[in-house]
DNA sequence: CTCACTTTGTGCATCGCTTCACAAACGTCT
DNA sequence: AGACGTTTGTGAAGCGATGCACAAAGTGAG
């Protein structure tokens, strides 16, 4: 299954759940694609990787399709999660409702700051990182979330890997080194901001009638603020 | 410039900054690529889009390259940021140090909860969203960050767009509808977890000697925990 | 049953990104 | 100056994802 498809499945699932809440039981690829913000051909090709769950001339049954995507993504199982680093971000994550909704369950909170030890967040007690191994003995951990400062991230990662955690979600802005069998995904606010800044700068230069080098262009000035163009779903 | 390249530039910049801190002034594409976790050919092709900043037979000067990437990403400018939604996540973002480091400056915090109005976070006073327009009059906002619950996200987005904000970073798990001229990037914890879960499930099935349908495979069982394989940078 | 209409699933062309492989360019050593 | 080793920058090939266009498969009406 293509990575690009896997990355879109959660979007499809979320949109399907929303449709189900609204009491909609059937949807065409055209409608669903519009709601998600992709082309209908792409949606159909993506879904074709799951098997044949649509009915020609009719569309897809919302509940069936949602269940199938859940199954493929592994959300029918139970995924115990540990969060390491209980600063602002760690707390935000620990109290994030999105965790509980779909098979993810927080079973451990870790931080080496002695001031935090013993404190409870969302009913879970914060423990020092060296207790990770013991924790894993009792309750295995499938996914580790790193919400520590950058300098601690690699050490924390090594501890997680040593404890047998094979899936890591890294919020620290560093490239982690891990065995190939360990799956790491990084979420980085600052990278996202920089990408936005790049495009914003391009727009600003274009709107000022300048090219990338800062030279004047020949064409007329455009007040971009007045001409936002057609709407799209992102 | 390819989107994929733009997405990697922040990584390169971060790694270069780290090298500069360590007093390293020159680096080859091979070394830098290894530190970032990409192939050297890819790094060179990416950098070639910026112009010719390397010296054949020698490598790249760290400071020069870092400055050039900063310039291309627009980080030499000043990007005023507003955060909407002052829950756990909004607070984590507001106190995130990565903001200040590279040209990003928080100039507004908004939340419609009357209990939060007037409270200060990081020296900035929380204001209700309807004051956004007035705020923009005084101090323009280049980037809007949506850290609200999903149900409020589209309305908040509309307000930001109406106020002239053309770059939006969305942490709410919804697809926003905006004019084409507005740039939206989404960061979604729950999507990332689901992608991790998908791969984890695959590994689990493979390790158990099963294929995707749950049937037994013919080959021998492998204890994946004992064979983590070579290390890679992610 | 047959026809008209709708919508899926997919072969195929296309596009964009990655990787390879090498000539060009630079420093160094003799 | 010339030969040698190193590393960049880049055509070209390779590869995966996207978008098009249509046959296949379904529904419903007459």
């Amino acid at each position: 299954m293509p990575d690009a498809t896997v990355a879109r499945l959660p979007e499809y699932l979320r949109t399907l759940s929303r449709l189900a809440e609204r009491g909609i039981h059937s949807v065409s690829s055209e409608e669903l694609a519009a709601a998600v913000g992709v082309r209908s051909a792409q949606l159909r090709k993506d879904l074709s990787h799951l098997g044949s769950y649509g009915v020609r001339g009719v569309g897809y049954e919302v509940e069936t399709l949602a269940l199938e995507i859940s199954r493929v993504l592994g959300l029918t199982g139970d995924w115990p999660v540990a969060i390491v680093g209980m600063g602002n971000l760690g707390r935000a994550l620990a109290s994030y409702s999105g965790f509980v909704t779909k098979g993810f369950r927080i079973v451990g909170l870790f931080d080496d700051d002695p001031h935090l030890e013993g404190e409870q967040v969302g009913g879970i007690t914060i423990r020092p990182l060296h207790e990770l191994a013991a924790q894993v003995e009792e309750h295995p951990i499938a996914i580790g979330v790193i919400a520590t400062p950058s300098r601690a991230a690699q050490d924390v990662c090594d501890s997680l890997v040593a404890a047998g955690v094979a899936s890591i979600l890294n919020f620290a802005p560093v490239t982690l080194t891990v065995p190939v069998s360990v799956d790491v995904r990084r979420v980085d606010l600052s990278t996202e901001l920089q990408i936005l800044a790049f495009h914003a700068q391009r727009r600003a230069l274009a709107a000022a009638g300048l090219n990338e080098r800062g030279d004047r262009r020949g064409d007329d000035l455009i007040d971009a603020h007045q001409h936002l163009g057609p709407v799209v779903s992102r």
Side-chain angles (χ1 to χ4, degrees), chain A:
Chain A
M1 167 133 24
D3 283 355
T5 295
V6 175
R8 281 186 294 268
L9 289 182
E11 314 298 320
Y12 300 158
L13 179 57
R14 193 189 338 274
T15 304
L16 285 168
S17 304
R18 213 157 273 161
L19 291 176
E21 279 171 25
R22 281 197 252 149
I24 297 171
H25 296 284
S26 179
V27 69
S28 72
S29 64
E30 207 69 53
E31 295 163 340
L32 183 54
V36 174
V38 300
R39 306 245 167 219
S40 65
Q42 174 144 271
L43 174 63
R44 288 199 299 276
K45 182 144 291 189
D46 283 342
L47 295 185
S48 76
H49 290 290
L50 311 182
S52 196
Y53 290 90
V55 180
R56 296 176 192 228
V58 177
Y60 300 88
E61 210 212 332
V62 173
E63 286 80 1
T64 309
L65 188 54
L67 187 66
E68 180 57 22
I69 294 178
S70 291
R71 210 182 58 77
V72 169
L73 286 174
L75 306 184
T76 49
D78 172 61
W79 298 99
V81 177
I83 302 178
V84 186
M86 280 291 114
N88 280 302
L89 178 59
R91 282 157 198 274
L93 297 177
S95 52
Y96 175 54
S97 60
F99 262 117
V100 201
T101 46
K102 288 284 177 185
F104 300 99
R105 188 167 49 94
I106 299 176
V107 297
L109 300 178
F110 296 92
D111 199 306
D112 271 351
D113 183 344
H115 295 98
L116 298 181
E117 193 177 332
E119 186 184 332
Q120 292 220 347
V121 176
I124 314 266
T125 306
I126 300 176
R127 305 165 71 179
L129 189 59
H130 64 77
E131 291 185 17
L132 177 68
Q135 155 96 26
V136 172
E137 290 288 315
E138 309 160 33
H139 305 291
I141 290 172
I143 299 177
V145 178
I146 299 178
T148 65
S150 303
R151 66 182 173 288
Q154 184 64 60
D155 282 349
V156 168
C157 175
D158 293 345
S159 300
L160 286 169
V161 170
V165 176
S167 301
I168 292 176
L169 186 55
N170 176 30
F171 284 87
V174 289
T175 302
L176 295 174
T177 299
V178 295
V180 284
S181 62
V182 175
D183 191 13
V184 177
R185 293 192 66 85
R186 192 152 70 79
V187 175
D188 184 0
L189 168 65
S190 138
T191 297
E192 299 298 327
L193 282 173
Q194 289 175 30
I195 296 172
L196 279 175
F198 172 82
H199 291 296
Q201 179 177 243
R202 288 207 134 196
R203 274 199 310 272
L205 290 172
L210 304 169
N211 65 20
E212 281 132 50
R213 300 195 192 286
D215 308 325
R216 286 306 290 259
R217 269 212 324 248
D219 53 3
D220 291 337
L221 297 178
I222 298 168
D223 183 351
H225 196 250
Q226 298 299 315
H227 302 85
L228 295 174
V231 296
V232 288
S233 292
R234 301 248 170 91

